[in-house]
Amino acid sequence: MSELSLIRGYDPIFRKKAQPVAAVDDAVRAAVARMFHILYEAGGIGLGANMVGSLDRIAVVDLQPEGVREPLAMINPEITWQSDREQTFTEASLCFPGVTAEVTRPDAIRVTYLDEAGERRDLEAAGWLAQVIQHEVDYLDGILFPDRLSRVKRDMAMRKIKKIR
């Protein structure tokens, strides 16, 4: 696996669908560790592997409530249920500094994934955690947060994104 690093500005990899990880091994665990290092170094709360140049289906999240690290690594995450109720939060991306938008998503989800030991896990998430997980899974599916906006707002955001280098 090549060295992972945060991509700043638009890259075609963001439009590619990440591929499932065949087996959770030392290389996958090393990628997860590197992704958390990048996440913390950049001051973020979530990363999809596409954001660091990989098409492995891996996402890491840590909301760091009250400054306490609570890392959540999800390998091969799939959202298996979502609420009919919606919520709106301001979203951004470490890859696109200065670009933000109000994004509406389901307010609760269930996600199935493998943990770092290769064990299958199911997580029910609501509120901000649900929003962040959906944002990162979107990256893995080739979807950027501006894609969730109206056409006019999406076009404005994408113009800003494509200017970042």
Side-chain angles (χ1 to χ4, degrees):
M1 183 176 294
S2 63
E3 179 66 23
L4 303 176
S5 61
L6 185 63
I7 297 170
R8 299 270 186 191
Y10 182 79
D11 189 286
I13 196 170
F14 298 148
R15 294 300 185 185
K16 295 179 180 176
K17 188 170 173 89
Q19 298 304 303
V21 171
V24 179
D25 57 17
D26 287 344
V28 170
R29 285 186 281 278
V32 167
R34 177 68 182 143
M35 287 175 68
F36 274 120
H37 176 79
I38 293 166
L39 178 74
Y40 296 136
E41 190 174 72
I45 57 172
L47 280 177
N50 305 51
M51 299 169 68
V52 294
S54 171
L55 284 174
D56 287 328
R57 194 166 182 83
I58 302 171
V60 299
V61 173
D62 191 344
L63 302 184
Q64 303 170 56
E66 298 178 27
V68 177
R69 289 186 177 173
E70 294 182 0
L72 171 63
M74 296 177 290
I75 300 159
N76 298 337
E78 294 296 335
I79 296 172
T80 58
W81 173 84
Q82 58 188 24
S83 168
D84 292 332
R85 290 194 328 246
E86 295 182 326
Q87 62 188 2
T88 302
F89 282 102
T90 302
E91 292 189 19
S93 173
L94 293 171
C95 297
F96 314 129
V99 180
T100 63
E102 296 292 311
V103 180
T104 301
R105 298 180 183 271
D107 72 346
I109 61 167
R110 185 176 305 115
V111 61
T112 300
Y113 62 94
L114 300 177
D115 66 15
E116 290 179 82
E119 298 294 321
R120 184 177 185 269
R121 302 283 182 205
D122 292 297
L123 173 69
E124 291 190 14
W128 183 228
L129 179 58
Q131 192 94 7
V132 172
I133 290 171
Q134 291 173 86
H135 177 103
E136 303 315 332
V137 170
D138 269 0
Y139 258 108
L140 299 178
D141 289 335
I143 300 167
L144 301 176
F145 73 91
D147 297 339
R148 302 285 181 191
L149 305 174
S150 69
R151 183 178 177 169
V152 170
K153 289 182 180 179
R154 179 182 60 243
D155 290 348
M156 286 174 41
M158 290 307 295
R159 276 195 298 277
K160 288 180 186 176
I161 285 170
K162 289 188 176 180
K163 287 181 182 177
I164 297 169
R165 276 286 167 221

